[in-house]
Amino acid sequence: GAGVSQSPSNKVTEKGKDVELRCDPISGHTALYWYRQSLGQGLEFLIYFQGNSAPDKSGLPSDRFSAERTGGSVSTLTIQRTQQEDSAVYLCASSSLGTSGRRDEQYFGPGTRLTVT
Amino acid sequence: KNEVEQSPQNLTAQEGEFITINCSYSVGISALHWLQQHPGGGIVSLFMLSSGKKKHGRLIATINIQEKHSSLHITASHPRDSAVYICAVARIQGAQKLVFGQGTRLTINP
């Protein structure tokens, strides 16, 4: 079946512009995560959505970053007034609840490579 | 100190060798993940485990909860196994949001 998809795959933007990154999770997955991988650095958590609950925004690096998830499916990560340090690969992952009630493994999308010039 | 530490950071081996990558963590976890990232950047989940051992093909993952340590083994390594292998943990109170190690870059030469 279809995996997690993200668009665009690459985005080049000028410093100060706003960008929107999209994630389509696997159908039926209730949990959705955004992560970021900056050049030369490891992966870091940004934000987590679970069903209709309030999102966990504890990983967002500044108030220029926001995300929403409409209808419990598609999510959009928005970065306002982009800065060069925002350049990174932004990864989305989704997961479902396993039969034991515990979170299942996470399936990752291909990522969006953002370059801020 | 990072909550998740991997070793080695880089590993080069010859085709056919047995490979071991180690991961140590310092927090209470509900699950540990091993991920594979190829040069194109895509990430694939290899294993999610909370106890014992899992095997998939030539890959084996083990975890010792008491020692807060996990290992990823590759038997009969092949050049196509060349990738970055990432250990990540889900904290017990963390709703499965992952904390990542820095990754191990594995290169298998023919």
Side-chain angles (χ1 to χ4, degrees), chain A residues 1-109:
Chain A
V4 178
S5 61
Q6 292 185 245
S7 61
S9 55
N10 281 284
K11 175 73 176 178
V12 180
T13 190
E14 292 180 355
K15 177 182 172 181
K17 295 285 180 68
D18 297 353
V19 295
E20 282 190 354
L21 313 180
R22 177 186 168 108
C23 171
D24 282 89
I26 292 173
S27 177
H29 280 190
T30 57
L32 187 148
Y33 307 80
W34 282 98
Y35 299 100
R36 177 171 75 170
Q37 186 173 37
S38 302
L39 184 63
Q41 299 191 21
L43 285 146
E44 59 178 337
F45 164 79
L46 296 177
I47 187 169
Y48 158 67
F49 295 90
Q50 166 51 43
N52 295 322
S53 302
D56 178 345
K57 304 179 184 180
S58 59
L60 294 179
S62 78
D63 57 10
R64 295 186 295 104
F65 287 72
S66 63
E68 62 177 20
R69 188 178 184 193
T70 54
S73 180
V74 172
S75 177
T76 302
L77 177 69
T78 301
I79 308 173
Q80 296 178 309
R81 305 181 302 282
T82 52
Q83 302 295 312
Q84 288 187 330
E85 61 262 29
D86 299 335
S87 296
V89 175
Y90 290 82
L91 290 154
C92 173
S94 70
S95 71
S96 63
L97 270 175
T99 54
S100 64
R102 294 179 59 189
R103 192 68 57 206
D104 206 345
E105 65 183 290
Q106 294 183 27
Y107 294 83
F108 285 81

